[in-house]
Each structure stands twice: as structure tokens, then as C-alpha cells.
């Protein structure tokens, strides 16, 4: 959850402003000035730039499937002494993964609350579904179909919950109740369409992390130009591969023209690697053929 709201985004005379994702904007540009890395979000007339709008649509498309996968894992153990829920009588106790359960409930809260706001603005009837699971899927479909309405929502009070361990990150305008025994706080805060996009992107990322779908970082085989170690990495994040490469040892960063030159060198290194592997495979086959021939053609 973020405390960014659309009303806090600085807008110029033409109506242009930074994409609400800030430094995490998918269409951001990065330059180096006086040795400092400077990231500039894409300029847009909407809450999110076109690239991040598309990213929100993709997340809404994937959320129902991730929700179902999480639901299937509700019984996975998070630890050996995890909480047990018994059906009573002689029924065997069931291990309940509270972390998965909490995330499922959070998905319901986020999706259905934004679904309600979009339905009010668009003049649609209230969502009707037999189960919460079906309602969540239906909500994702509606939000995807009306994503521009969603991202254009003005600030309105909405209810959210947060673990007490993260209470220091509450929005500045938050008001609500603290439940110390339960370990969470329920609060109200003004949220906009920009917050909707940020919440859904963060929710999608939490699902991937919970399910173990880790980012696919790209490790280069080209040595770092500064420390000469093979420790260059291009990070994979929620916006795709980063627009820079970083040395995991000396922390040297490659951006702009240096990044382009580095990737050309990396492509050449990968071609040489494939050539060596093909040559080694050819030699291995030749040795195997010679060995078979030495036994009269019988393996």
C-alpha cells in the first residue's frame, strides 16, 4: 500500500505530470550526470503512463489465476508448528497457512473495493456473485474492461488494513482503529485511481512472491569493465528488465551508451560461448565414434 494520491502529483500548465509509479515507471529514462544516476518517470496526462497502464491490465488478467493457485495452497505448511484448525470430533486437524489466507483476504478487499467504486461511477448495478472467489474474478474482469475509469477515479475515503509492524508506513491522512491483540490496524484514507493502479501492481507482485515465482535476473558472462569480475547483472522487476546493468561486486552501473556497448560485447561473448560448446560437442562425438569403431563397430 502506498500513500501516494493523485492530488499530490505535480501537474504543469499543459496537464502533463510524472507517471504515478515514479522511479519504478516502466517507461522511465535514466541518465548519469556528474556520476549520479538520475531517473525520470514518463510524462503523462493520466495517472499512469501507457506502459504502466498496460502493465495494470496484464496484472488484472493474471490475478484470478494467481488467486486460484493461492487458494489451492491454503493448506501448505508455512512452518512445522503452524496453527491448526480442527473440524471437530474425530476429523483430522488441517494446517492453515495464515500468510496465504491473509493475502487472499487482501486480494478480496482491494479488488472488490475498486470494483464498487467503478460500478458507482459507471452507473452499473452492484456485483452479484455466489462466492467471494467468483466475485473477485468478476471484479478483475470489470476493472480490466474499464481500466481508464479506474485510473481516473478522484480521491475518496476507502478502508484498508495493515499489520501493526508496518504502522509507521501509514498514509499521513489515515484515521482508524488499532487492534493490538489481533496485531493489525484498520484505517481510512483518501485513495485515487493512481492508488488503484499502484495497489494492483503491488498485489500482483506479492502473489508472485508468495507463490515462489521469483524474478528472472539476467546474469552476463562479460566481465565488469571496472573490477574484471564476472558479476554483472540486469535485474528483473515488475516493470521487466531494468534499463541498466549493475556489477554485484563493485556496484559499477552501465547506462545509456555504455549499456548499449556492453550488450553488444555480451552478444559477441555469447556467440563465442556457443561456438566453443558446439566445437566441444563435435570433439566428444568424434571420440565416441572412434571408441565404437575400436570395438568392431559394436557399442
Amino acid at each position: 500500500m502506498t500513500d501516494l494520491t493523485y492530488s499530490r502529483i505535480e501537474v504543469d500548465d499543459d496537464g502533463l505530470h510524472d507517471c504515478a509509479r515514479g522511479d519504478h515507471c516502466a517507461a522511465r529514462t535514466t541518465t548519469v550526470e556528474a556520476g549520479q544516476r538520475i531517473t525520470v518517470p514518463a510524462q503523462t496526462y493520466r495517472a499512469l503512463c501507457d506502459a504502466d497502464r498496460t502493465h495494470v491490465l496484464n496484472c488484472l488478467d493474471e490475478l484470478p489465476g494467481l488467486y486460484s493457485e493461492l487458494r489451492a495452497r491454503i493448506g501448505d505448511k508455512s512452518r512445522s508448528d503452524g496453527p491448526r484448525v480442527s473440524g471437530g470430533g474425530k476429523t483430522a486437524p488441517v494446517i492453515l497457512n495464515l500468510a496465504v489466507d491473509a493475502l487472499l483476504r487482501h486480494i478480496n478487499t482491494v479488488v472488490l473495493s475498486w470494483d464498487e467504486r467503478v460500478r458507482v461511477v459507471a452507473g452499473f448495478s452492484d456485483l452479484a456473485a455466489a462466492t467471494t472467489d467468483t466475485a473477485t474474478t468478476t471484479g478483475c474482469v470489470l476493472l480490466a474492461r474499464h481500466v481508464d475509469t479506474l485510473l481516473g477515479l478522484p480521491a475518496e475515503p476507502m478502508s484498508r488494513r495493515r499489520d501493526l509492524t508496518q504502522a509507521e508506513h501509514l498514509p499521513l491522512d489515515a484515521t482508524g482503529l488499532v487492534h493490538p491483540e489481533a496485531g493489525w490496524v484498520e484505517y481510512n484514507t483518501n485513495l485515487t485511481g493512481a492508488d488503484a493502479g499502484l495497489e494492483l501492481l503491488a498485489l500482483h507482485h506479492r502473489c508472485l512472491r508468495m507463490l515462489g515465482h521469483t524474478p528472472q535476473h539476467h546474469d552476463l558472462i562479460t566481465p565488469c569493465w571496472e573490477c574484471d569480475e564476472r558479476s554483472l547483472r540486469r535485474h528483473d522487476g515488475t516493470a521487466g528488465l531494468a534499463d541498466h546493468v549493475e556489477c554485484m561486486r563493485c556496484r559499477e552501473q552501465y547506462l545509456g551508451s555504455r549499456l548499449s556497448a556492453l550488450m553488444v560485447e555480451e552478444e559477441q561473448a555469447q556467440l563465442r560461448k556457443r561456438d566453443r560448446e558446439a566445437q566441444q560437442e563435435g570433439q566428444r562425438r568424434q571420440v565416441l565414434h572412434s571408441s565404437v569403431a575400436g570395438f568392431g563397430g559394436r557399442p
Side-chain angles (χ1 to χ4, degrees):
M1 181 64 187
T2 176
D3 63 356
L4 174 67
T5 62
Y6 190 78
S7 60
R8 295 173 199 157
I9 298 177
E10 295 185 4
V11 182
D12 65 18
D13 295 336
D14 296 328
L16 277 173
H17 55 77
D18 290 348
C19 171
R21 293 198 71 200
D23 288 349
H24 299 288
C25 169
R28 65 191 181 278
T29 57
T30 306
T31 58
V32 176
E33 297 181 11
Q36 297 294 319
R37 180 168 170 256
I38 300 176
T39 300
V40 179
Q43 299 297 292
T44 178
Y45 291 101
R46 298 183 297 207
L48 299 177
C49 66
D50 290 343
D52 281 315
R53 175 185 178 277
T54 300
H55 193 25
V56 169
L57 282 171
N58 292 336
C59 289
L60 285 168
D61 182 57
E62 294 177 7
L63 265 178
L66 295 174
Y67 183 91
S68 297
E69 191 173 350
L70 284 166
R71 175 65 72 189
R73 297 191 185 186
I74 192 67
D76 288 356
K77 287 186 179 182
S78 58
R79 57 184 185 182
S80 59
D81 61 342
R84 295 174 179 269
V85 178
S86 175
K90 296 182 179 180
T91 305
V94 178
I95 301 297
L96 178 65
N97 189 320
L98 292 184
V100 172
D101 183 61
L103 181 53
L104 288 170
R105 292 175 183 274
H106 185 57
I107 294 172
N108 294 334
T109 297
V110 171
V111 171
L112 297 183
S113 62
W114 289 116
D115 171 273
E116 181 180 8
R117 287 196 57 184
V118 169
R119 286 176 183 274
V120 170
V121 171
F124 299 149
S125 59
D126 294 341
L127 189 154
T131 66
T132 304
D133 294 0
T134 303
T136 299
T137 298
T138 303
C140 286
V141 172
L142 179 130
L143 293 178
R145 288 177 178 173
H146 303 278
V147 67
D148 290 324
T149 300
L150 171 69
L151 298 177
L153 290 173
E156 273 191 21
M158 297 182 73
S159 177
R160 290 292 184 265
R161 290 184 179 183
R162 188 185 288 264
D163 192 286
L164 275 179
T165 59
Q166 299 181 355
E168 62 183 89
H169 301 297
L170 287 174
L172 297 177
D173 65 346
T175 59
L177 297 174
V178 176
H179 302 271
E181 294 184 359
W184 51 270
V185 55
E186 184 173 16
Y187 63 95
N188 292 319
T189 183
N190 287 317
L191 298 179
T192 69
D195 295 294
L198 297 177
E199 269 197 320
L200 291 167
L201 291 173
L203 195 60
H204 181 264
H205 184 68
R206 281 186 62 187
C207 291
L208 293 178
R209 187 171 67 247
M210 179 73 73
L211 292 168
H213 302 324
T214 55
Q216 300 298 310
H217 301 307
H218 178 47
D219 292 323
L220 281 62
I221 63 174
T222 302
C224 173
W225 295 349
E226 296 299 320
C227 68
D228 204 34
E229 293 289 334
R230 290 190 174 182
S231 53
L232 295 177
R233 170 171 292 181
R234 193 168 188 176
H235 291 279
D236 182 21
T238 57
L241 285 175
D243 56 358
H244 68 283
V245 167
E246 182 178 12
C247 177
M248 304 308 294
R249 178 170 179 175
C250 70
R251 298 301 174 182
E252 178 70 12
Q253 294 189 346
Y254 300 78
L255 306 101
S257 59
R258 291 187 79 217
L259 175 62
S260 299
L262 177 65
M263 297 313 296
V264 169
E265 185 174 327
E266 173 68 11
E267 183 178 0
Q268 295 172 346
Q270 292 287 355
L271 287 174
R272 291 193 297 270
K273 179 184 177 183
R274 286 195 289 270
D275 289 343
R276 287 196 303 270
E277 291 174 346
Q279 185 178 10
Q280 292 170 357
E281 178 63 16
Q283 293 173 348
R284 188 188 70 81
R285 290 179 178 274
Q286 185 175 8
V287 170
L288 181 60
H289 177 75
S290 299
S291 298
V292 172
F295 282 95
R298 295 191 302 273

